């Protein structure tokens, strides 16, 4: 996080502990403080495997260790079954320690959390790094941020290492949108550690959100200089510029372009660069940027998805390249989300190409069939609409869901008229009319109005045959929003 003086020592200790795991348990020896340090550092790195091994090693070497018992409570608190496992553990363990009491607060959710937090502050005077981190996080989780901010002077006297406290309170301030406090604490942290890229980044974010352009420019310059090879920090700075500091967009584009060149195998900087270019009105350049990446990495889903969002003419080719590079295809949830996203954005060419390729490889359910038929219709591919519908094994099932069946019916019926299939259109209307008349009478207003619109098309066919091409073409253009 940038506030420890002994990061190298902790990394060496962690590496030594990991190396020891390849040897028999009887040959492993670490003192109690070392195990606690490894556990806490592994927590910073979200390495639950190491944390588990630390607790197992500690149980063998120091079965009565209170510090490791506290870490076991934290381990349960951070697990997937947080409430249940942590609650059972602290209920069985009646010890009183700061960390154990913090875990109790997290799982018990006291009616007056500020009083409970104040009680803990009165009971304990020595807040180590992990205690400080957990206490601040708990106050934020319990909705006591303002209380936490008010108590900061008292907490300064209890925390063993002030920068840890300030960093954690700054993180909560950021979480609660208190940018004034973020800026103030970042400046104080920078006074203590002037070359921390993370602190300058926090200051830049706060100043940008507060609309302080000159201060934001200054903080950005320092953060960018210090970030060096820190890709994640550069991406965070670019996101802040995208959202809050457009006056720095040119600098962000240069920074992320360099980051993308330095990290050719990682899509995130390319994705970020394309977003900045789009925001700058350079859509073609953004599209070319994504396309170059995809050509070199056809198995990258995010690149394929982003490229389709540009509503490209060669969507079928792009999707085919992706599927050829990924035997497992596209995850069902990802496919549904992508289809709805393209439909919402109006990327009809891409949507049609995507579902044409996917539909050639697997059966499409109605949630995908409806958008496909809509996309084909809006592209003017009326013969394909008719062909797709004719190949469906169960058209009644397809037309059984009102919210989907009505647009499908309109697209299919008009496509039949536009391809000269009057008899097929008349038969389709006769088969579906009773259902839609019932919908018009019994459904909510939106469905009722949609049903009325489909029935109006059916009635229009009694006056205008398919030979009246101008009429049906005009109607299709209106529905497809092409006027």
């Amino acid at each position: 996080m940038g506030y420890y003086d002994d990061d190298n020592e902790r990394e060496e200790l962690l590496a030594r502990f990991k190396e020891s795991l390849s040897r028999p348990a009887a040959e492993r020896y670490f003192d109690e403080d070392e195990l606690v340090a490894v556990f806490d550092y592994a927590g910073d790195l979200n390495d639950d495997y190491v944390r588990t091994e630390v607790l197992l090693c500690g149980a063998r070497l120091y079965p009565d260790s209170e510090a490791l018992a506290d870490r076991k409570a934290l381990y349960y608190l951070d697990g997937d079954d947080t409430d249940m496992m942590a609650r059972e553990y602290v209920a069985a363990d009646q010890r009183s320690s700061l960390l154990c009491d913090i875990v109790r607060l997290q799982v018990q959710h006291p009616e007056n959390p500020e009083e409970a937090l104040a009680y803990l502050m009165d009971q304990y005077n020595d807040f180590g790094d992990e205690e400080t981190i957990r206490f601040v996080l708990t106050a934020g989780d319990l909705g006591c941020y303002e209380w936490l901010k008010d108590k900061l002077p008292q907490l300064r006297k209890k925390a063993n290492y002030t920068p840890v406290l300030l960093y954690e309170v700054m993180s909560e301030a950021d979480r609660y949108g208190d940018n004034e406090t973020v800026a103030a604490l970042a400046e104080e942290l920078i006074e203590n550690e002037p070359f921390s890229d993370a602190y300058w980044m926090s200051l830049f974010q706060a100043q940008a959100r507060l609309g302080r352009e000159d201060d934001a420019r200054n903080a950005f310059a320092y953060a960018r200089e210090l970030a060096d090879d820190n890709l994640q920090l550069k991406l965070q700075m670019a996101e802040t510029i995208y959202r809050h500091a457009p006056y720095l967009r040119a600098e962000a584009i240069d920074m992320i372009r360099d980051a993308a060149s330095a990290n050719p195998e990682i899509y995130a900087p390319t994705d970020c660069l394309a977003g900045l270019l789009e925001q700058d009105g350079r859509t073609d350049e953004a599209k070319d940027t994504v396309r170059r990446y995809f050509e070199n990495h056809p198995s990258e889903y995010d690149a394929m998805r982003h490229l389709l969002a540009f509503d490209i003419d060669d969507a079928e080719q792009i999707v085919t390249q992706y599927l050829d590079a990924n035997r497992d295809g596209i995850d069902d949830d990802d496919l549904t989300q992508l289809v709805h996203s393209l439909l919402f954005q109006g990327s009809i060419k891409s949507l049609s190409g995507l579902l044409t390729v996917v539909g050639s490889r697997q059966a499409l359910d109605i949630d995908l069939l409806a958008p496909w038929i809509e996309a084909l219709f809006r592209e003017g591919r009326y013969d394909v609409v008719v062909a797709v519908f004719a190949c469906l094994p169960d058209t009644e099932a397809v037309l059984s869901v009102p919210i989907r069946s009505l647009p499908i019916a309109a697209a299919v019926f008009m496509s039949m008229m536009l391809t000269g299939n009057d008899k097929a259109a008349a038969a389709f209307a006769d088969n579906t009319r009773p259902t839609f008349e019932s919908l018009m009478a019994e459904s909510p207003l939106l469905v009722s109005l949609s049903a009325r619109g489909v029935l109006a098309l059916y009635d229009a066919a009694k006056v205008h045959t398919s030979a009246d091409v101008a009429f049906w073409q005009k109607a299709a253009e209106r529905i497809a929003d092409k006027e």
Side-chain angles (χ1 to χ4, degrees):
M1 294 182 186
Y3 47 60
Y4 287 100
D5 293 329
D6 59 345
D7 270 353
N8 289 335
E9 293 179 12
R10 296 200 304 169
E11 288 174 4
E12 292 173 3
L13 179 60
L14 177 62
R16 184 157 60 88
F17 181 82
K18 285 184 174 180
E19 188 277 330
S20 76
L21 298 178
S22 64
R23 291 184 267 113
E27 295 181 16
R28 296 177 211 156
Y29 180 80
F30 294 85
D31 67 37
E32 183 180 356
D33 289 340
E34 286 178 325
L35 289 178
V36 169
V38 172
F39 182 94
D40 291 347
Y41 191 42
D44 292 343
L45 302 175
N46 296 314
D47 191 335
D48 282 341
Y49 168 67
V50 168
R51 296 209 305 168
T52 301
E53 291 296 334
V54 167
L55 293 177
L56 292 173
C57 186
R60 179 175 60 85
L61 296 174
Y62 310 102
D64 298 323
S65 168
E66 291 198 2
L68 290 170
D70 287 342
R71 268 63 189 178
K72 185 182 287 187
L74 296 179
Y75 179 81
Y76 287 137
L77 179 66
D78 297 336
D80 293 335
D81 297 320
T82 295
D83 285 351
M84 180 185 70
M85 296 180 70
R87 184 180 291 110
E88 290 183 0
Y89 180 78
V90 295
D93 185 356
Q94 296 299 314
R95 292 178 310 106
S96 181
S97 71
L98 179 51
L99 279 177
C100 205
D101 288 344
I102 288 172
V103 173
R104 287 191 179 94
L105 285 187
Q106 283 275 16
V107 299
Q108 292 174 354
H109 304 293
E111 292 185 7
N112 193 327
E114 293 182 2
E115 282 187 8
L117 290 166
Y119 177 80
L120 284 191
M121 281 187 62
D122 291 340
Q123 294 298 307
Y124 301 98
N125 291 316
D126 185 21
F127 282 55
D129 289 354
E130 191 66 25
E131 287 83 358
T132 299
I133 293 168
R134 296 290 180 157
F135 185 85
V136 172
L137 180 63
T138 298
D141 288 346
L142 294 176
C144 300
Y145 168 68
E146 291 297 332
W147 177 90
L148 175 68
K149 191 166 66 169
D150 291 341
K151 297 298 181 183
L152 185 55
Q154 293 94 308
L155 285 169
R156 285 176 184 267
K157 299 176 183 178
K158 294 176 179 288
N160 288 350
Y161 189 54
T162 303
V164 172
L165 171 66
L166 299 185
Y167 183 89
E168 295 302 323
V169 174
M170 182 178 70
S171 297
E172 288 303 309
D174 181 69
R175 178 181 168 190
Y176 277 82
D178 183 359
N179 292 302
E180 291 283 2
T181 298
V182 172
L185 294 178
E187 287 175 346
E188 185 175 349
L189 286 164
I190 288 169
E191 288 179 8
N192 182 68
E193 191 176 340
F195 300 110
S196 168
D197 53 6
Y199 297 161
W200 279 106
M201 172 62 192
S202 294
L203 180 59
F204 164 60
Q205 286 183 316
Q207 302 289 26
R209 291 167 183 166
L210 290 167
R212 298 171 182 168
E213 182 174 338
D214 291 341
D215 291 334
R217 285 182 179 277
N218 181 62
F220 170 74
Y222 278 101
R224 180 180 180 180
E225 183 69 24
L226 293 168
D228 193 21
D229 294 330
N230 191 332
L231 175 60
Q232 190 58 41
L233 202 66
K234 289 179 180 179
L235 293 174
Q236 290 175 354
M237 284 190 279
E239 182 181 1
T240 298
I241 290 169
Y242 185 91
R243 296 178 181 276
H244 304 288
Y247 45 83
L248 286 168
R249 190 183 302 131
E251 290 88 337
I253 288 173
D254 289 341
M255 176 181 67
I256 298 301
R257 196 188 300 279
D258 290 343
S261 297
N263 299 273
E265 300 303 314
I266 302 174
Y267 181 61
T270 297
D271 187 40
C272 180
L273 176 59
L276 290 166
L277 290 169
E278 285 184 83
Q279 190 185 49
D280 203 40
R282 297 149 69 178
T283 303
D284 289 341
E285 189 177 347
K287 179 166 49 177
D288 291 342
T289 298
V290 178
R291 186 178 290 276
R292 281 194 299 272
Y293 184 93
F294 181 79
E295 287 172 353
N296 293 316
H297 306 84
S299 63
E300 176 61 56
Y301 174 77
D302 286 334
M304 186 270 290
R305 174 192 54 76
H306 197 165
L307 199 51
L308 292 179
F310 290 107
D311 202 22
I312 53 178
D313 294 324
D314 59 340
E316 289 188 32
Q317 177 184 336
I318 295 300
V319 176
T320 299
Q321 283 181 253
Y322 174 80
L323 292 176
D324 287 346
N326 292 274
R327 293 185 177 181
D328 293 334
I330 305 175
D331 177 80
D332 289 344
D333 290 339
D334 286 341
L335 178 60
T336 299
Q337 185 177 11
L338 177 58
V339 166
H340 291 164
S341 176
L342 293 173
L343 186 61
F344 179 77
Q345 295 168 358
S347 300
I348 300 304
K349 289 182 292 186
S350 288
L351 177 59
S352 175
L354 168 67
L355 290 176
T356 295
V357 175
V358 174
S360 70
R361 300 185 180 212
Q362 68 184 62
L364 300 179
D365 62 28
I366 189 171
D367 285 335
L368 298 179
L369 184 66
W372 187 25
I373 288 179
E374 178 178 342
L376 291 169
F377 179 79
R378 291 177 66 179
E379 279 192 301
R381 299 170 67 182
Y382 308 122
D383 55 337
V384 182
V385 172
V386 174
V388 167
F389 189 77
C391 291
L392 294 178
D394 188 354
T395 57
E396 290 187 8
V398 170
L399 296 173
S400 65
V401 182
I403 199 66
R404 291 298 192 199
S405 66
L406 290 166
I408 289 177
V412 169
F413 179 78
M414 293 188 70
S415 294
M416 289 175 174
M417 295 300 295
L418 285 161
T419 53
N421 294 314
D422 295 70
K423 290 184 179 179
F428 181 82
D430 289 341
N431 289 336
T432 57
R433 181 183 290 275
T435 299
F436 295 154
E437 286 178 343
S438 176
L439 284 175
M440 188 174 67
E442 302 172 0
S443 300
L445 182 60
L446 178 61
V447 176
S448 178
L449 290 174
S450 298
R452 185 183 298 275
V454 174
L455 292 173
L457 290 174
Y458 292 174
D459 292 337
K462 296 176 181 179
V463 179
H464 302 277
T465 67
S466 63
D468 192 349
V469 177
F471 173 85
W472 290 107
Q473 191 64 49
K474 190 72 171 178
E477 289 175 356
R478 286 175 179 169
I479 292 176
D481 295 327
K482 289 185 178 181
E483 285 194 321

